[in-house]
Amino acid sequence: MSLSVEIAHRFEGLALDVAFDAPPGVTALIGRSGAGKTTVANVIAGLMRPDRARIALDGAVLVDTAAGLWPPPQARRVGYVFQEARLFPHLSVRQNLLYGARRRGRLREGQAELGPVTDLLGIAALLARRPGALSGGERQRVAIGRALLSGPRLLLLDEPLAALDPARKSEILPYLERLRDQSRLPILYVSHAMEEVARLATTVVALDAGRVVARGSAAEVLSDPGAVPALDPGTAGAVIEAVVEAQEADGLTRLAGAGGTLYLPRLDAAPGARVRLRIEAQDVLIARDRPAGLSALNLLPAQVLSVHPGRGPGALVRLRAGDAILLARVTQRSVAALGLAPGLPVHAVVKSLAVASGNIGTAG
C-alpha cells in the first residue's frame, strides 16, 4: 500500500503546507521541534482538522476536506502509537493487545492473529503480565502489537522511542526493523533521532518550518546538505549499505560496501548478511593523498561532489566513494588549505570505532 498526503493549515507563527507520497515500508518524517511533524500525524489519524487536507491510501481517497469527506478517527483504520505506550494498567498484556480488535469488531480475527503478532514483536512470554511489570521497551512493543491487531491500513509511530533510555532503544529497534521487513503496511515514523531514522527508514521526508525541504530514500536525504536545516547540523551523516564478508580473528568484521571495504568492531551477523550503516559527518576525515602511517583502517578513495559552508567556521563536504555518498564535517580553513572543490580526488578516512553500534542495523 502507498500513502499520499496533502495538508495545509495556518497556526500562529507557522503556515503548514506539506505534500508527499509514502510508498510501502517506513517513511520517516523528520525535522526540528515545531516543524509540523506531529501535526501531520494527527491530521492523518483524524485527531485534528486542518484548513485543507487530501489523504489517499492506495489511490482510494480517505480524507478530502474540499469535498466534505472527513471520517472520524475510528473509521479510518489507522493504528497510532504515541511516545507513551498508554496501556490500560488494570488489563493483562493479552487483554491490552485484543482491546483494539474488540473495539473494531474483529475480536475473532484478532485472536487468530495474536500468535503471529506476539512472535513478530517478541512478547509471547508477556501475555499474562500487567503493564506495571514491563520495561519501557516491552510496553512500547505491546502498544505496537495492539495497533497491529486493530486491523489498520496504516501505522503511525510518533516518536515511539523518545521516552526510552539508550538500552531500551537498543532493545526495541531490532523488532521495528522486523516490522518494517515483514509488514505490508505503510508505516509513518515521526522522529528527530537520526540513528532511528537511519536504521529504519526506507523513505525520508524532511520538514522545516512547515514545508517539505527534502524527500527521497534514506540514503539520498540523509546525505543531502540541503536537508540539514531541518536537522541539528551536528547529527548530519550518510547512510550506506554493506554485506558482511568475514569475521576476522582479531575481533573485527570485514564489510563490502558500495564505497569499498570497511572494518568495524565485530557485528552479530553471519557472512552474507546485509547491514545498514550510518556514518556521521563528524567522523569522516579528508586527505588529499592516501595517508601512510595512520591507525585508521578505513581509507576510501573518493571524489568531492560539493562543498557547503556553514554559518560558523564549519563546512559540509559531500563525497562520492564508489557508489556510496558520504558527508564530512570539516572547518572552512581545512577546505581552503586542501583546496577542496567539486571533482577533486581525495581519500575519506573513517575510524573503525567511530561507527557506534546504535548506527548499525539490518538492511531489510
PDB file of all heavy atoms in Angstrom, residues 60-77:
ATOM      1  N   ALA A  60      -7.243   5.237  -3.132  1.00  0.00           N
ATOM      2  CA  ALA A  60      -8.591   5.464  -2.606  1.00  0.00           C
ATOM      3  C   ALA A  60      -8.560   6.653  -1.647  1.00  0.00           C
ATOM      4  O   ALA A  60      -7.772   6.662  -0.691  1.00  0.00           O
ATOM      5  CB  ALA A  60      -9.101   4.221  -1.887  1.00  0.00           C
ATOM      6  N   VAL A  61      -9.389   7.653  -1.883  1.00  0.00           N
ATOM      7  CA  VAL A  61      -9.382   8.868  -1.075  1.00  0.00           C
ATOM      8  C   VAL A  61      -9.953   8.572   0.297  1.00  0.00           C
ATOM      9  O   VAL A  61     -11.084   8.096   0.442  1.00  0.00           O
ATOM     10  CB  VAL A  61     -10.180   9.994  -1.766  1.00  0.00           C
ATOM     11  CG1 VAL A  61     -10.206  11.238  -0.872  1.00  0.00           C
ATOM     12  CG2 VAL A  61      -9.568  10.335  -3.112  1.00  0.00           C
ATOM     13  N   LEU A  62      -9.163   8.849   1.319  1.00  0.00           N
ATOM     14  CA  LEU A  62      -9.568   8.641   2.704  1.00  0.00           C
ATOM     15  C   LEU A  62     -10.125   9.923   3.309  1.00  0.00           C
ATOM     16  O   LEU A  62     -11.101   9.906   4.060  1.00  0.00           O
ATOM     17  CB  LEU A  62      -8.362   8.159   3.525  1.00  0.00           C
ATOM     18  CG  LEU A  62      -8.548   7.920   5.012  1.00  0.00           C
ATOM     19  CD1 LEU A  62      -9.519   6.780   5.255  1.00  0.00           C
ATOM     20  CD2 LEU A  62      -7.206   7.626   5.682  1.00  0.00           C
ATOM     21  N   VAL A  63      -9.490  11.063   2.971  1.00  0.00           N
ATOM     22  CA  VAL A  63      -9.876  12.374   3.503  1.00  0.00           C
ATOM     23  C   VAL A  63      -9.825  13.382   2.364  1.00  0.00           C
ATOM     24  O   VAL A  63      -8.867  13.384   1.569  1.00  0.00           O
ATOM     25  CB  VAL A  63      -8.923  12.822   4.634  1.00  0.00           C
ATOM     26  CG1 VAL A  63      -9.140  14.286   4.988  1.00  0.00           C
ATOM     27  CG2 VAL A  63      -9.078  11.939   5.860  1.00  0.00           C
ATOM     28  N   ASP A  64     -10.850  14.216   2.265  1.00  0.00           N
ATOM     29  CA  ASP A  64     -10.839  15.321   1.303  1.00  0.00           C
ATOM     30  C   ASP A  64     -11.721  16.427   1.868  1.00  0.00           C
ATOM     31  O   ASP A  64     -12.952  16.388   1.736  1.00  0.00           O
ATOM     32  CB  ASP A  64     -11.350  14.872  -0.063  1.00  0.00           C
ATOM     33  CG  ASP A  64     -11.138  15.934  -1.143  1.00  0.00           C
ATOM     34  OD1 ASP A  64     -10.865  17.101  -0.780  1.00  0.00           O
ATOM     35  OD2 ASP A  64     -11.249  15.599  -2.335  1.00  0.00           O
ATOM     36  N   THR A  65     -11.094  17.382   2.535  1.00  0.00           N
ATOM     37  CA  THR A  65     -11.880  18.432   3.189  1.00  0.00           C
ATOM     38  C   THR A  65     -12.640  19.279   2.174  1.00  0.00           C
ATOM     39  O   THR A  65     -13.730  19.771   2.473  1.00  0.00           O
ATOM     40  CB  THR A  65     -10.965  19.340   4.027  1.00  0.00           C
ATOM     41  OG1 THR A  65      -9.889  19.820   3.213  1.00  0.00           O
ATOM     42  CG2 THR A  65     -10.387  18.584   5.213  1.00  0.00           C
ATOM     43  N   ALA A  66     -12.096  19.450   0.961  1.00  0.00           N
ATOM     44  CA  ALA A  66     -12.782  20.247  -0.050  1.00  0.00           C
ATOM     45  C   ALA A  66     -14.103  19.608  -0.460  1.00  0.00           C
ATOM     46  O   ALA A  66     -15.057  20.302  -0.834  1.00  0.00           O
ATOM     47  CB  ALA A  66     -11.882  20.432  -1.272  1.00  0.00           C
ATOM     48  N   ALA A  67     -14.164  18.275  -0.395  1.00  0.00           N
ATOM     49  CA  ALA A  67     -15.386  17.553  -0.753  1.00  0.00           C
ATOM     50  C   ALA A  67     -16.227  17.208   0.473  1.00  0.00           C
ATOM     51  O   ALA A  67     -17.238  16.495   0.351  1.00  0.00           O
ATOM     52  CB  ALA A  67     -15.021  16.284  -1.514  1.00  0.00           C
ATOM     53  N   GLY A  68     -15.803  17.694   1.655  1.00  0.00           N
ATOM     54  CA  GLY A  68     -16.553  17.400   2.876  1.00  0.00           C
ATOM     55  C   GLY A  68     -16.328  16.010   3.416  1.00  0.00           C
ATOM     56  O   GLY A  68     -17.101  15.537   4.262  1.00  0.00           O
ATOM     57  N   LEU A  69     -15.288  15.329   2.939  1.00  0.00           N
ATOM     58  CA  LEU A  69     -15.002  13.968   3.402  1.00  0.00           C
ATOM     59  C   LEU A  69     -14.030  14.029   4.570  1.00  0.00           C
ATOM     60  O   LEU A  69     -12.838  14.317   4.402  1.00  0.00           O
ATOM     61  CB  LEU A  69     -14.407  13.155   2.245  1.00  0.00           C
ATOM     62  CG  LEU A  69     -14.050  11.690   2.549  1.00  0.00           C
ATOM     63  CD1 LEU A  69     -15.278  10.912   2.988  1.00  0.00           C
ATOM     64  CD2 LEU A  69     -13.402  11.038   1.321  1.00  0.00           C
ATOM     65  N   TRP A  70     -14.545  13.780   5.773  1.00  0.00           N
ATOM     66  CA  TRP A  70     -13.744  13.827   6.998  1.00  0.00           C
ATOM     67  C   TRP A  70     -14.248  12.753   7.964  1.00  0.00           C
ATOM     68  O   TRP A  70     -15.007  13.017   8.887  1.00  0.00           O
ATOM     69  CB  TRP A  70     -13.823  15.211   7.657  1.00  0.00           C
ATOM     70  CG  TRP A  70     -12.951  15.333   8.878  1.00  0.00           C
ATOM     71  CD1 TRP A  70     -13.348  15.262  10.190  1.00  0.00           C
ATOM     72  CD2 TRP A  70     -11.530  15.511   8.904  1.00  0.00           C
ATOM     73  NE1 TRP A  70     -12.271  15.374  11.024  1.00  0.00           N
ATOM     74  CE2 TRP A  70     -11.143  15.539  10.272  1.00  0.00           C
ATOM     75  CE3 TRP A  70     -10.563  15.649   7.916  1.00  0.00           C
ATOM     76  CZ2 TRP A  70      -9.816  15.706  10.659  1.00  0.00           C
ATOM     77  CZ3 TRP A  70      -9.250  15.812   8.303  1.00  0.00           C
ATOM     78  CH2 TRP A  70      -8.885  15.843   9.660  1.00  0.00           C
ATOM     79  N   PRO A  71     -13.862  11.500   7.721  1.00  0.00           N
ATOM     80  CA  PRO A  71     -14.337  10.418   8.586  1.00  0.00           C
ATOM     81  C   PRO A  71     -13.766  10.542   9.992  1.00  0.00           C
ATOM     82  O   PRO A  71     -12.651  11.056  10.174  1.00  0.00           O
ATOM     83  CB  PRO A  71     -13.833   9.159   7.887  1.00  0.00           C
ATOM     84  CG  PRO A  71     -12.671   9.612   7.063  1.00  0.00           C
ATOM     85  CD  PRO A  71     -12.979  11.016   6.649  1.00  0.00           C
ATOM     86  N   PRO A  72     -14.484  10.067  11.009  1.00  0.00           N
ATOM     87  CA  PRO A  72     -13.964  10.117  12.382  1.00  0.00           C
ATOM     88  C   PRO A  72     -12.781   9.179  12.537  1.00  0.00           C
ATOM     89  O   PRO A  72     -12.582   8.263  11.716  1.00  0.00           O
ATOM     90  CB  PRO A  72     -15.165   9.655  13.215  1.00  0.00           C
ATOM     91  CG  PRO A  72     -15.972   8.815  12.282  1.00  0.00           C
ATOM     92  CD  PRO A  72     -15.816   9.446  10.928  1.00  0.00           C
ATOM     93  N   PRO A  73     -11.968   9.383  13.567  1.00  0.00           N
ATOM     94  CA  PRO A  73     -10.756   8.561  13.735  1.00  0.00           C
ATOM     95  C   PRO A  73     -11.029   7.064  13.712  1.00  0.00           C
ATOM     96  O   PRO A  73     -10.271   6.305  13.094  1.00  0.00           O
ATOM     97  CB  PRO A  73     -10.223   9.013  15.100  1.00  0.00           C
ATOM     98  CG  PRO A  73     -10.716  10.413  15.250  1.00  0.00           C
ATOM     99  CD  PRO A  73     -12.067  10.434  14.608  1.00  0.00           C
ATOM    100  N   GLN A  74     -12.088   6.626  14.376  1.00  0.00           N
ATOM    101  CA  GLN A  74     -12.346   5.186  14.475  1.00  0.00           C
ATOM    102  C   GLN A  74     -12.723   4.559  13.142  1.00  0.00           C
ATOM    103  O   GLN A  74     -12.667   3.335  12.986  1.00  0.00           O
ATOM    104  CB  GLN A  74     -13.438   4.911  15.518  1.00  0.00           C
ATOM    105  CG  GLN A  74     -14.817   5.468  15.184  1.00  0.00           C
ATOM    106  CD  GLN A  74     -15.008   6.892  15.660  1.00  0.00           C
ATOM    107  OE1 GLN A  74     -14.036   7.607  15.920  1.00  0.00           O
ATOM    108  NE2 GLN A  74     -16.266   7.302  15.798  1.00  0.00           N
ATOM    109  N   ALA A  75     -13.097   5.371  12.156  1.00  0.00           N
ATOM    110  CA  ALA A  75     -13.479   4.839  10.846  1.00  0.00           C
ATOM    111  C   ALA A  75     -12.308   4.806   9.874  1.00  0.00           C
ATOM    112  O   ALA A  75     -12.457   4.316   8.750  1.00  0.00           O
ATOM    113  CB  ALA A  75     -14.612   5.671  10.256  1.00  0.00           C
ATOM    114  N   ARG A  76     -11.136   5.293  10.283  1.00  0.00           N
ATOM    115  CA  ARG A  76     -10.015   5.416   9.342  1.00  0.00           C
ATOM    116  C   ARG A  76      -9.117   4.195   9.287  1.00  0.00           C
ATOM    117  O   ARG A  76      -8.298   4.072   8.390  1.00  0.00           O
ATOM    118  CB  ARG A  76      -9.171   6.650   9.705  1.00  0.00           C
ATOM    119  CG  ARG A  76      -9.975   7.929   9.624  1.00  0.00           C
ATOM    120  CD  ARG A  76      -9.103   9.150   9.730  1.00  0.00           C
ATOM    121  NE  ARG A  76      -9.901  10.356   9.645  1.00  0.00           N
ATOM    122  CZ  ARG A  76      -9.421  11.570   9.392  1.00  0.00           C
ATOM    123  NH1 ARG A  76      -8.125  11.724   9.189  1.00  0.00           N
ATOM    124  NH2 ARG A  76     -10.227  12.610   9.336  1.00  0.00           N
ATOM    125  N   ARG A  77      -9.220   3.332  10.282  1.00  0.00           N
ATOM    126  CA  ARG A  77      -8.358   2.142  10.364  1.00  0.00           C
ATOM    127  C   ARG A  77      -6.890   2.544  10.322  1.00  0.00           C
ATOM    128  O   ARG A  77      -6.090   2.046   9.540  1.00  0.00           O
ATOM    129  CB  ARG A  77      -8.702   1.157   9.256  1.00  0.00           C
ATOM    130  CG  ARG A  77     -10.031   0.444   9.461  1.00  0.00           C
ATOM    131  CD  ARG A  77     -10.308  -0.523   8.342  1.00  0.00           C
ATOM    132  NE  ARG A  77      -9.245  -1.522   8.230  1.00  0.00           N
ATOM    133  CZ  ARG A  77      -9.126  -2.329   7.168  1.00  0.00           C
ATOM    134  NH1 ARG A  77      -9.966  -2.235   6.163  1.00  0.00           N
ATOM    135  NH2 ARG A  77      -8.143  -3.214   7.133  1.00  0.00           N
TER     136      ARG A  77
END
